[in-house]
Amino acid sequence: MSAWIERWQAWGRVGLSDRPRSGRPAIFTADEQQQVYAALDDSPKDVKQVVEAMAQKTGKRVRTKTIKRFLKKSHLWKRIKKAPAQTPDPYRYTRGQEMIARLQARENRGECDLGYFDGAGFGFEPSLPYAWQPIGSSMTVPTARHRRRLHV
């Protein structure tokens, strides 16, 4: 903290800006970095394919670890959200909500006990719960149809 105050007193506002730091220079130029991001958007799962594509385009050979660093800057490894394949019928949806509200009111009056259950079953379609997704967006897959489930 005192170094900042000393730089302010000696140089003013200019003294507070970052100075060039040591380190290895970037492998790709800004334009080539955009090409890397475009290649990652095309195939975020196959990092080796991106390495090969960049070697052909730029003539620069990099390791997969370098491309993974680019991937981590622009994408997140997160769970895929499941969304309904189609929107529910508004009439049936509101009717179901009204029925639940009536049952909850009966339970509050002590007329009945209301229990909530989750149907267990196996889906015949494989699940891909995680994937690389661009930062700020979410990938969704349609949920499996219930008639294609085997309930146990």
Side-chain angles (χ1 to χ4, degrees), residues 8-137:
W8 171 262
Q9 290 174 347
W11 298 96
R13 188 174 173 189
V14 176
L16 296 179
S17 61
D18 286 339
R19 296 187 179 135
R21 298 178 181 167
S22 62
R24 185 176 181 183
I27 295 171
F28 293 121
T29 64
D31 184 45
E32 291 170 343
Q33 288 178 10
Q34 294 303 318
Q35 291 177 10
V36 170
Y37 288 126
L40 285 172
D41 286 340
D42 292 340
S43 59
K45 283 184 163 182
D46 195 0
V47 177
K48 290 180 182 178
Q49 184 178 351
V50 175
V51 169
E52 293 299 324
M54 292 310 297
Q56 289 177 357
K57 289 180 183 177
T58 63
K60 297 177 183 176
R61 192 83 176 151
V62 294
R63 298 186 320 173
T64 55
K65 207 176 223 184
T66 304
I67 300 300
K68 284 183 182 179
R69 277 197 304 271
F70 278 98
L71 187 62
K72 288 179 182 180
K73 288 180 186 176
S74 64
H75 290 69
L76 291 174
W77 181 257
K78 63 181 184 176
R79 190 172 187 89
I80 297 174
K81 293 182 179 179
K82 292 188 177 184
Q86 59 188 5
T87 57
D89 178 27
Y91 173 72
R92 291 180 66 193
Y93 185 75
T94 55
R95 191 177 68 177
Q97 283 184 325
E98 291 168 357
M99 185 186 308
I100 290 172
R102 284 194 307 269
L103 288 170
Q104 287 173 341
R106 286 184 62 193
E107 182 185 33
N108 291 339
R109 290 191 301 260
E111 296 175 9
C112 68
D113 288 329
L114 193 58
Y116 297 92
F117 296 95
D118 182 19
F122 298 99
F124 292 111
E125 297 174 7
S127 174
L128 300 173
Y130 289 90
W132 286 104
Q133 300 175 39
I135 293 175
S137 67

Side-chain angles (χ1 to χ4, degrees), residues 136-147:
S137 67
S138 292
M139 193 180 295
T140 58
V141 293
T143 55
R145 296 182 180 157
H146 292 289
R147 57 193 140 121

